[in-house]
Amino acid sequence: MQTKNIRNFSIIAHIDHGKSTLADRLIENTGTLSQREMEAQVLDSMDLERERGITIKAQTVRLNYKAKNGETYELNLIDTPGHVDFTYEVSRSLAACEGALLVVDATQGVEAQTLANVYMALEHDLEIIPVINKVDLPSADPEKVKKEIEDVIGLDASDAILASAKTGIGIEDILEAIVERIPAPHGDDDKPLKALIFDSYFDAYKGVIAHVRLMDGKMKKGTKLKMMATGKVFDVTEVGCFRPAPVEVSELASGDVGYVAGSLKNVRDVRVGDTITTEENPTPEPLPGYRGVTPMVYCGLYPVDSADYDSLKDALEKLQLNDAALVFEAETSLALGFGFRCGFLGLLHMDVIQERLEREYKLKLITTAPSVIYHVHKTDGTMIAIDNPAKLPTPQEIDFMEEPFVKATVIVPNDYVGAVMQVSQDKRGEYKSMDYLDVNRVMLTYHIPLSEIIYDYFDILKSTTRGYASLDYELADYQPAKLVKLDILLNGEPVDALSTIVFADHAAYRGRQLAAKLKEIIPKQMFEIPIQAAVGSKIIARENVRAFRKDVLAKCYGGDISRKRKLLEKQKEGKKRMKAVGSVEIPQEAFMAVLKIH
Amino acid sequence: MSYGVYIHIPFCKKKCQYCDFPSWEGKEDLMSAYTQAIVKEIEAQEPFLAKAGPASSVFIGGGTPTVIPITQLERIIDAVRENIPLDPEAEFTVEANPGTVTLEHMTALYTMGVTRLSIGAQTFENDILERIGRIHTAQDIKDAVRWARAAGFTNVSMDLMYGLPGQTMKNLVDSIGSAMDLAVTHISVYGLQVEDGTPLKAKIEAGEITLPTDEETEAMYDYVVNNLPPYGFARYEISNFARDGFESRHNLGYWSDKPYIGFGAAAHSYWGGRRTENLRTPEEYIASIERGESPARPEEPSTPEIQMAEFCFLELRTVRGIDREQFEKRFGCTVESVYQKVIDDLKLKELLTSDEKYIRLTPKGMKLGNVAFRAFLL
């Protein structure tokens, strides 16, 4: 394929605006997969993605399209996630493209998340094609949405494509627009190889597979390649493209998007954002790569069974391979033993990693409550960053503390402005600005502690605005705050893994709520368990889990002994999911209880 | 070798709110084919059982055995008598649910050689009976017991339940009083269990029904355990109480590693250390018998660990406990060689006690039976 007939593009959309359905329709329309092979939302290949209806990992697919001008084009669709946690994935995908479809729901309009992604695409100099989706719905108002795109984003929407991914309206137009409006990649096959790694994953048979976008040069089986940052040299055993399953091809040339596999067994040799070149004739300059991603949320991950420590480490390494935002280091907890402190982009990211570890790696885990990174200025003049409440120095050693704040952007219908203001104020947010997007919709910005966003800000925002609010946030700065460590004692013993850092004025309330929640969660055991919440040596709340004194099964109907045994086994299995801390057995969810209180 | 025979009648006039067992309402049209199938299944086992020797107990349970026409029940009992050698002293129980029985019913059963009736009373409070989906009233229970006596039965058992929605301690005390007044000889008392997928569970989750608190339920348990023995009902198993000599031989078989053979849909068998289960629905069961196939399916292959665990938790249900000698005979090693740590730990928790012959639950252990049983799962 000649470079002039290649188009590399992404789809940018707010969650639920129909990105995955549109991708499916493009795959189907170009005959990449037959109708029969189509499973709803082909690109969301993880079970988790299908269940939650979200895209987590960017996926890639090559479409061959015969345009109206008679020529055949290779369209590389690099799918992107839509959730705020996964912004960095979007940035990686965009760096491999020349253009993007901006999909906006004709019934909803521009959302906070769309804005953030469009700005990112503009930073990458991408050609943006606005697509107004779901025009088949009765409540669709394409003209209003067009105006919003022009007013809010500042894009010319006069040639926006009206489409319905569900019914197939406008799909031809979109394919034609991709060919006509998105520029062909301008690489040079004859220059030394310069390829961007934008993703990677581990295949049990082929080793590490790197997803690449070739800027210049060619890549084929048998050549010796070099990773410019890690210095790793390897022999190429296979190159290919995605249709959407990996398919081997004879070579990849400049402008192409595909994958490369080689003698790469160590996950650390392949770094997303690195540049691949040939060993023989290397390019003098690597590509700029990516801005490093900084995790914003930390939590402890511990195996329920301490024998699984090595498996957990192994699994985290494998996941980290295609998730540059996941960081982890070993840590020890008095209550939970050996585990890892892990950093994530946000709560959904944390949730997803935890679930993948449990599902794909069959690990039973205890996750501790998430924490942001606090800056603790000590009386000796030094500053330390704390991502684990248990590591907080004693109050005597602390001069003052700072916590991270974000700039939060909320878009809502104007009826809910009051609700947003109330929630934001309750969550210690500082009002910054309010702009009318049109007569009905308002964009508010707040300066607000990240810890509040992590707890329940978005949940409450959603429920008080009947789901209309959309939220985007970016780290702003660190600000001093009155913070204290809230400890939990079970049976009189402090449990380090249950400690949290909270705003001092909220401590008493949070302590009472947390103790009450733990009372619900911790099952009755053979002895009474006092639960206490404390700040320093001051007990601020107390609850009791009463002892159970009866636990018997009814009769064996018709001699069905196996059923009885299986029931006992299930109960025993349930116990295994609990962590024995001293003599108290604590279920997994207790460690996340702090998130369940409002 | 003594063994038990179980026959399952999977039909009910109405399924109870708490029931998740293989029983169905509204399948009256299957009853006659079902009876025919059971008879056929029993006949097919005749040569095998002739070699095995006499059975020591027969139990026809359900579902509601008394919901099928009496002539069909007669055909099944005839088939048992003609094809299965019975010990002359064999215990022959039929479950009879109040509201589905008459004096004629009882008389017919007695004439056919049934020796024991098990009456599903559950409680004597009409509003609670209605709430849990029973079709009968307190008066129906009393009638059923009186008719049983009139028909000639001297061995009458009654099932009662505690922890029922809306049940108070006074209700339970009254129900036990009523059972005493009726002079039954055996009482099974079960705590209500809320099973997944039952209407009861759905109603509790929807907040339409509330159960007594754990503390109230515990007090009811204590009342039963403490007050039946003074009436002359000795506790011989966690949930079972009997006047001297009226212990259920059939149920004791389940708890003491005796073999049993089951007939009918979803019936379980335990023979030669292997467990099998018949096809679950009456439709599947009938179809397989009509095709001339065996309805039995082996359960997952059992390991020595599973067999030991089952042996122990079943024997622990009885007041006598685990028979050390029987364990050694069965597995070729002592109980301690496998369970020393478990036994020590449970003794420390005051759940277990032992002497030279038996290892048994303490009264506290009976109350926390599941804690001890779980510990015996390897």
Side-chain angles (χ1 to χ4, degrees):
Chain A
M1 182 72 56
Q2 285 180 291
T3 311
K4 74 174 182 60
N5 283 10
I6 297 176
R7 299 291 181 273
N8 297 316
F9 71 104
S10 285
I11 305 177
I12 300 171
H14 186 74
I15 200 159
D16 284 342
H17 281 203
K19 176 176 59 68
S20 295
T21 316
L22 176 60
D24 290 353
R25 201 62 63 229
L26 295 175
I27 293 171
E28 201 182 283
N29 254 52
T30 52
T32 307
L33 288 180
S34 69
Q35 192 96 35
R36 190 171 46 79
E37 291 166 308
M38 290 291 298
E39 201 176 328
Q41 307 205 342
V42 174
L43 291 189
D44 291 343
S45 60
M46 274 190 262
D47 287 349
L48 213 56
E49 294 182 315
R50 288 227 183 86
E51 280 167 27
R52 298 193 177 199
I54 54 170
T55 305
I56 296 162
K57 283 300 302 170
Q59 302 271 336
T60 306
V61 59
R62 178 192 285 190
L63 316 167
N64 283 339
Y65 174 64
K66 192 156 194 280
K68 286 184 181 147
N69 62 18
E71 290 195 47
T72 300
Y73 290 84
E74 170 188 319
L75 312 182
N76 292 304
L77 162 58
I78 298 160
D79 195 19
T80 57
H83 189 276
V84 58
D85 276 7
F86 301 106
T87 304
Y88 80 106
E89 286 269 351
V90 178
S91 143
R92 282 157 54 169
S93 303
L94 296 180
C97 299
E98 278 78 34
L101 303 178
L102 165 63
V103 178
V104 183
D105 187 322
T107 67
Q108 306 283 330
V110 174
E111 302 283 4
Q113 192 57 55
T114 333
L115 275 182
N117 286 345
V118 173
Y119 293 145
M120 209 182 308
L122 291 171
E123 261 175 50
H124 284 91
D125 279 333
L126 301 195
E127 175 67 32
I128 294 173
I129 304 173
V131 174
I132 299 174
N133 193 23
K134 305 193 188 179
V135 293
D136 58 310
L137 295 182
S139 55
D141 191 349
E143 284 314 309
K144 191 176 141 210
V145 173
K146 265 190 195 174
K147 192 163 178 315
E148 250 185 41
I149 292 174
E150 293 187 341
D151 294 352
V152 181
I153 307 177
L155 277 178
D156 176 11
S158 58
D159 49 2
I161 299 167
L162 304 188
S164 163
K166 205 170 119 217
T167 63
I169 300 171
I171 301 301
E172 272 304 314
D173 297 342
I174 293 172
L175 286 164
E176 283 298 315
I178 291 169
V179 166
E180 281 168 22
R181 286 156 66 179
I182 295 178
H186 39 77
D188 187 342
D189 286 355
D190 301 325
K191 277 192 181 170
L193 175 67
K194 197 186 253 189
L196 173 72
I197 305 179
F198 64 90
D199 201 357
S200 65
Y201 68 96
F202 189 85
D203 180 285
Y205 300 103
K206 296 175 184 170
V208 183
I209 311 261
H211 292 205
V212 289
R213 157 71 201 271
L214 277 69
M215 301 301 178
D216 289 317
K218 289 182 176 183
M219 191 184 266
K220 64 180 172 198
K221 192 169 162 175
T223 27
K224 242 186 184 38
L225 298 184
K226 186 180 176 187
M227 304 286 186
M228 294 187 76
T230 66
K232 172 77 183 175
V233 174
F234 65 101
D235 293 310
V236 177
T237 53
E238 185 178 326
V239 295
C241 63
F242 301 94
R243 315 193 55 99
V247 175
E248 187 169 359
V249 296
S250 58
E251 70 168 18
L252 294 174
S254 68
D256 276 344
V257 169
Y259 68 88
V260 54
S263 44
L264 295 165
K265 295 297 169 213
N266 193 333
V267 299
R268 288 186 203 82
D269 291 334
V270 182
R271 193 177 296 166
V272 169
D274 198 353
T275 304
I276 304 182
T277 189
T278 52
E279 198 193 17
E280 215 171 50
N281 180 21
T283 175
E285 279 291 312
L287 293 160
Y290 300 115
R291 206 166 15 140
V293 264
T294 344
M296 298 221 252
V297 179
Y298 283 77
C299 77
L301 283 182
Y302 290 83
V304 173
D305 179 355
S306 49
D308 284 340
Y309 177 82
D310 285 331
S311 318
L312 174 57
K313 184 171 177 216
D314 198 49
L316 283 167
E317 278 177 358
K318 291 219 171 91
L319 289 180
Q320 195 181 39
L321 177 64
N322 64 357
D323 190 343
L326 170 67
V327 300
F328 63 91
E329 61 178 38
E331 77 167 3
T332 330
S333 150
L334 287 174
L336 301 177
F338 293 101
F340 295 92
R341 196 74 193 167
C342 303
F344 307 93
L345 296 162
L347 276 197
L348 180 67
H349 186 213
M350 177 173 119
D351 231 29
V352 163
I353 294 288
Q354 189 198 342
E355 246 184 279
R356 289 187 67 186
L357 288 168
E358 299 209 334
R359 281 195 198 189
E360 294 168 30
Y361 297 90
K362 310 264 178 283
L363 292 163
K364 289 198 188 99
L365 298 175
I366 299 278
T367 312
T368 65
S371 166
V372 299
I373 301 179
Y374 295 96
H375 287 173
V376 180
H377 295 265
K378 301 214 286 184
T379 46
D380 64 7
T382 59
M383 190 279 278
I384 51 171
I386 292 287
D387 59 26
N388 178 353
K391 302 262 164 66
L392 194 69
T394 58
Q396 293 77 24
E397 295 172 272
I398 301 174
D399 180 9
F400 68 97
M401 284 170 72
E402 291 177 311
E403 67 176 324
F405 276 68
V406 296
K407 178 189 166 204
T409 307
V410 180
I411 296 183
V412 277
N414 56 3
D415 292 352
Y416 298 105
V417 167
V420 173
M421 288 183 158
Q422 185 63 51
V423 175
S424 305
Q425 222 167 326
D426 290 349
K427 296 294 168 189
R428 301 188 284 143
E430 188 193 333
Y431 169 82
K432 286 290 175 197
S433 68
M434 180 163 92
D435 295 293
Y436 273 83
L437 303 183
D438 58 37
V439 287
N440 293 321
R441 302 209 321 142
V442 179
M443 181 165 84
L444 292 129
T445 53
Y446 271 86
H447 188 245
I448 191 167
L450 175 61
S451 64
E452 300 291 352
I453 298 233
I454 287 176
Y455 280 126
D456 52 11
Y457 177 72
F458 194 39
D459 285 347
I460 298 180
L461 197 61
K462 276 272 182 201
S463 60
T464 52
T465 62
R466 296 182 176 210
Y468 279 118
S470 70
L471 167 74
D472 189 53
Y473 59 86
E474 58 183 319
L475 196 60
D477 54 7
Y478 271 78
Q479 297 268 330
K482 236 169 72 193
L483 300 164
V484 292
K485 181 155 75 108
L486 176 63
D487 291 317
I488 294 291
L489 292 80
L490 295 180
N491 246 357
E493 293 294 318
V495 178
D496 59 357
L498 288 173
S499 293
T500 48
I501 292 174
V502 299
F503 181 56
D505 293 355
H506 293 172
Y509 176 75
R510 279 254 167 94
R512 278 195 305 274
Q513 296 281 313
L514 184 54
K517 192 75 201 172
L518 286 170
K519 182 188 172 176
E520 273 174 42
I521 293 172
I522 297 175
K524 288 183 176 179
Q525 296 175 30
M526 285 175 64
F527 45 86
E528 186 175 277
I529 306 163
I531 301 171
Q532 293 161 298
V535 171
S537 56
K538 191 174 166 222
I539 304 293
I540 54 175
R542 185 189 162 108
E543 295 278 353
N544 255 330
V545 178
R546 299 175 69 168
F548 76 75
R549 285 170 299 181
K550 182 176 130 338
D551 182 7
V552 283
L553 284 181
K555 60 177 167 180
C556 313
Y557 289 81
D560 188 354
I561 307 304
S562 303
R563 178 187 156 104
K564 189 135 288 192
R565 175 175 50 78
K566 282 177 190 151
L567 193 63
L568 290 166
E569 274 167 0
K570 207 171 129 199
Q571 292 171 347
K572 194 160 184 164
E573 198 56 33
K575 289 210 167 290
K576 279 194 198 147
R577 286 197 73 86
M578 292 200 263
K579 194 86 187 175
V581 175
S583 52
V584 184
E585 288 181 331
I586 309 178
Q588 196 181 31
E589 54 179 320
F591 297 96
M592 297 291 275
V594 67
L595 292 186
K596 307 272 158 49
I597 55 175
H598 295 309
Chain B
M1 179 188 65
S2 72
Y3 60 93
V5 174
Y6 177 77
I7 293 163
H8 190 65
I9 309 297
F11 304 110
C12 281
K13 220 173 227 176
K14 184 168 163 235
K15 206 166 158 74
C16 299
Q17 296 282 306
Y18 53 83
C19 174
D20 77 332
F21 269 78
S23 69
W24 287 269
E25 56 180 48
K27 290 196 177 180
E28 286 73 15
D29 52 329
L30 288 179
M31 287 177 181
S32 136
Y34 186 79
T35 301
Q36 229 166 333
I38 288 224
V39 170
K40 230 171 140 180
E41 193 193 7
I42 295 173
E43 285 170 353
Q45 293 296 333
E46 191 274 332
F48 173 74
L49 293 174
K51 271 184 271 169
S56 52
S57 65
V58 178
F59 195 106
I60 304 185
T64 310
T66 43
V67 84
I68 64 172
I70 188 70
T71 48
Q72 291 182 17
L73 206 47
E74 278 173 347
R75 283 192 61 198
I76 293 171
I77 295 172
D78 280 344
V80 170
R81 297 212 160 274
E82 281 163 26
N83 297 284
I84 305 175
L86 295 184
D87 187 288
E89 296 293 302
E91 172 189 280
F92 199 135
T93 308
V94 173
E95 280 182 346
N97 277 343
T100 63
V101 286
T102 58
L103 177 57
E104 292 70 38
H105 237 119
M106 302 282 195
T107 310
L109 290 175
Y110 188 74
T111 316
M112 284 183 275
V114 173
T115 64
R116 183 172 179 269
L117 284 184
S118 172
I119 310 274
Q122 318 317 352
T123 176
F124 284 78
E125 302 296 323
N126 287 339
D127 53 340
I128 300 176
L129 285 168
E130 197 186 325
R131 201 168 300 140
I132 60 176
R134 304 288 298 182
I135 57 165
H136 60 85
T137 61
Q139 188 57 46
D140 292 331
I141 304 171
K142 291 174 188 167
D143 289 343
V145 176
R146 284 196 198 105
W147 290 332
R149 299 216 173 282
F153 285 101
T154 52
N155 190 351
V156 177
S157 175
M158 181 171 284
D159 286 357
L160 292 176
M161 294 178 84
Y162 66 92
L164 294 171
Q167 191 180 28
T168 62
M169 181 61 125
K170 181 175 181 305
N171 294 155
L172 178 76
V173 173
D174 288 350
S175 285
I176 288 179
S178 299
M180 294 303 120
D181 292 345
L182 290 168
V184 295
T185 46
H186 181 281
I187 296 187
S188 301
V189 194
Y190 302 114
L192 175 72
Q193 283 180 12
V194 182
E195 303 287 355
D196 287 345
T198 56
L200 178 69
K201 179 152 186 170
K203 284 187 181 165
I204 289 171
E205 280 171 355
E208 291 165 29
I209 277 187
T210 46
L211 295 179
T213 63
D214 288 355
E215 286 71 25
E216 286 168 323
T217 309
E218 184 192 347
M220 293 186 203
Y221 171 94
D222 288 340
Y223 179 85
V224 170
V225 170
N226 296 329
N227 289 279
L228 280 176
Y231 279 114
F233 286 81
R235 186 186 204 183
Y236 68 100
E237 191 260 359
I238 288 183
S239 313
N240 285 279
F241 302 79
R243 289 199 175 278
D244 193 23
F246 287 94
E247 296 83 4
S248 162
R249 241 172 290 167
H250 186 79
N251 284 335
L252 276 171
Y254 291 145
W255 303 315
S256 54
D257 203 40
K258 291 256 174 65
Y260 48 90
I261 184 162
F263 297 101
H268 289 257
S269 302
Y270 176 54
W271 202 275
R274 275 196 302 274
R275 298 190 186 280
T276 57
E277 177 181 16
N278 279 359
L279 290 168
R280 189 172 166 87
T281 66
E283 290 87 347
E284 291 171 305
Y285 169 78
I286 294 168
S288 93
I289 296 278
E290 283 176 355
R291 286 194 302 268
E293 295 165 6
S294 164
R297 299 289 176 268
E299 294 186 13
E300 63 186 63
S302 192
T303 62
E305 285 78 14
I306 289 180
Q307 289 171 25
M308 286 185 205
E310 289 178 349
F311 183 98
C312 291
F313 79 67
L314 288 170
E315 292 217 326
L316 280 174
R317 290 189 68 92
T318 64
V319 166
R320 194 197 66 183
I322 300 170
D323 184 330
R324 293 174 182 281
E325 201 185 307
Q326 285 297 323
F327 186 95
E328 276 185 57
K329 226 163 98 186
R330 170 84 200 274
F331 300 109
C333 57
T334 63
V335 183
E336 270 82 3
S337 72
V338 183
Y339 288 115
Q340 185 70 61
K341 231 184 117 223
V342 172
I343 293 169
D344 289 347
D345 179 54
L346 291 175
K347 279 186 176 170
L348 203 67
K349 291 179 176 157
E350 298 172 339
L351 302 181
L352 214 63
T353 174
S354 66
D355 58 30
E356 276 164 30
K357 293 184 80 169
Y358 300 106
I359 299 167
R360 66 176 71 89
L361 295 177
T362 60
K364 183 178 170 189
M366 288 233 162
K367 204 166 175 179
L368 295 168
N370 288 345
V371 176
F373 302 157
R374 281 194 293 266
F376 277 86
L377 295 173
L378 291 169

